[in-house]
Amino acid sequence: MTKTLLLETSIKGPMSVSHKIAQKVIAKVGGDVTVRDCTTIPAIDGTWIGAAYTPAENRTDAQKAALALSDALIAELKAADTVVIGCGVYNFGVTGPLKHWIDMVCRVGETFRYTEAGPEGLAGAKRVIVAYSSGGVPAGSGYDFATPYIKQVLGFIGITDVTVVAAEGVAVDEAAALARADAQIATLAA
């Protein structure tokens, strides 16, 4: 059975449109689902950076503890065949919780490395479906900084199979936005 990782990133929780879309995507693609509530992930800090850039064999117990959550998040990501990202748009970009997850999983030596030819992704090939919702920012428009950012970050760590399912215009007509997203979900392969 395939393994699916669901990233819940909205501070509105189950009331968010991105959550509703992500649940429908999960119902379509299935798999053994691991749910990660990203709203509990803290921001990285100087201690975390110091630990991440210390060679593993030289890390203190405190540094290992500082990286424990990052290690767990990276393991979840690497184990997944499919990743579903709930992505509400806040102020034209990704939510804070999604940014915190990204910062925790983008780690040199773990999900990418630098080579003479440039950066190389190490996260492994997998399918990503972004459950995008916005009050009025169309996905892919000049005002959408969320989906290009997500695609750039995922590409940097080696993940290039990214599909966006969008509920746009939620502030104008949520039912119509959800119907458009449902039509996109219907075309997804299981």
Side-chain angles (χ1 to χ4, degrees), residues 9-13 39 90 95 97:
T9 70
S10 175
I11 59 174
K12 293 169 66 179
T39 64
Y90 295 0
T95 65

Side-chain angles (χ1 to χ4, degrees), residues 60-178:
T60 66
D61 288 342
Q63 287 176 318
K64 291 174 187 172
L67 295 176
L69 177 57
S70 174
D71 290 338
L73 297 173
I74 290 168
E76 287 175 352
L77 175 63
K78 286 184 174 181
D81 301 300
T82 300
V83 180
V84 178
I85 302 174
C87 178
V89 175
Y90 295 0
N91 300 315
F92 307 102
V94 299
T95 65
L98 179 51
K99 177 68 166 85
H100 292 170
W101 180 85
I102 288 169
D103 287 344
M104 286 276 183
V105 301
C106 290
R107 228 170 88 198
V108 68
E110 295 293 332
T111 55
F112 72 93
R113 67 178 168 203
Y114 295 111
T115 71
E116 289 182 15
E120 177 185 2
L122 303 174
K126 51 197 81 263
R127 174 187 189 195
V128 174
I129 302 166
V130 178
Y132 176 97
S133 67
S134 74
V137 176
S141 71
Y143 298 106
D144 168 22
F145 300 113
T147 58
Y149 172 70
I150 291 169
K151 289 177 180 179
Q152 175 65 39
V153 166
L154 293 175
F156 184 77
I157 63 173
I159 302 169
T160 58
D161 181 1
V162 180
T163 302
V164 177
V165 171
E168 308 157 325
V170 171
V172 177
D173 187 343
E174 183 174 323
L178 286 169

